[in-house]
Amino acid sequence: RIIAMENGGDIKGVFERFCKLSNAIKEASESNGKKLMEDKHLGFLGTCPSNLGTGLRASVMVVLPELNKDVHKLEEICNGFDLQPRGSSGEHSAAVGGKWDISNKQRLGFSEVELVQKMID
C-alpha cells in the first residue's frame, strides 16, 4: 500500500508525489530483476480483489457537521457521485466532529487520473 497525504488542498501535488513513489517502487523492483504482478487489461494484481486494477483510493477529509446529523443523506449524496463516505477513523467508524473521509467508490475500469478527477469533481 502506498499512501501520500498532506494538509491543505493541493490534490495535484499529492497525486504527483504518489506517482513518483509508485514509479520508484516499480523501477527498484525491475532493477533487481523482479516485476510487479501486472496485467495489461486488469492492472496491478494483488491479494485483495477490491484493489484489482489501479487500486487507487483518492480521498479528502472534510468536516460536514450538518450531514453528520443525517448519515443516510450523506451516503445518498455520495452514491450519486460514485463516492463513499468513511468515518474519521476509517471504514465503518464514526465521524468525530463531523469529519468525513470522502473517496472514490470505483476502482476498476478507470485510470488513476480519472479516479482522482472523480473525487475532485
Side-chain angles (χ1 to χ4, degrees):
R1 180 188 306 208
I2 302 171
I3 298 174
M5 59 193 302
E6 71 179 46
N7 287 328
D10 184 12
I11 296 169
K12 182 180 177 196
V14 172
F15 183 63
E16 286 173 352
R17 194 168 60 251
F18 166 83
C19 291
K20 285 179 186 176
L21 181 54
S22 180
N23 288 333
I25 291 170
K26 183 176 181 180
E27 290 169 8
S29 176
E30 291 172 351
S31 72
N32 286 304
K34 307 289 183 191
K35 292 186 90 176
L36 300 176
M37 293 189 313
E38 184 178 11
D39 180 271
K40 286 185 180 184
H41 178 69
L42 298 174
F44 289 100
L45 307 176
T47 58
C48 181
S50 69
N51 292 332
L52 189 65
T54 70
L56 180 74
R57 188 175 79 83
S59 68
V60 292
M61 297 294 286
V62 292
V63 178
L64 303 169
E66 293 304 311
L67 286 172
N68 204 41
K69 297 174 186 175
D70 187 352
V71 176
H72 295 293
K73 184 68 174 173
L74 174 60
E75 289 173 346
E76 180 182 314
I77 292 168
C78 285
N79 280 334
F81 293 97
D82 292 322
L83 300 172
Q84 70 182 59
R86 295 179 179 204
S88 46
S89 295
E91 196 169 9
H92 308 299
S93 70
V96 178
K99 188 176 185 180
W100 289 93
D101 177 348
I102 308 294
S103 64
N104 57 298
K105 187 185 294 184
Q106 300 166 316
R107 293 191 178 95
L108 289 174
F110 299 93
S111 71
E112 291 87 344
V113 172
E114 289 171 317
L115 292 173
V116 171
Q117 190 61 52
K118 278 177 163 281
M119 186 269 304
I120 291 170
D121 293 345

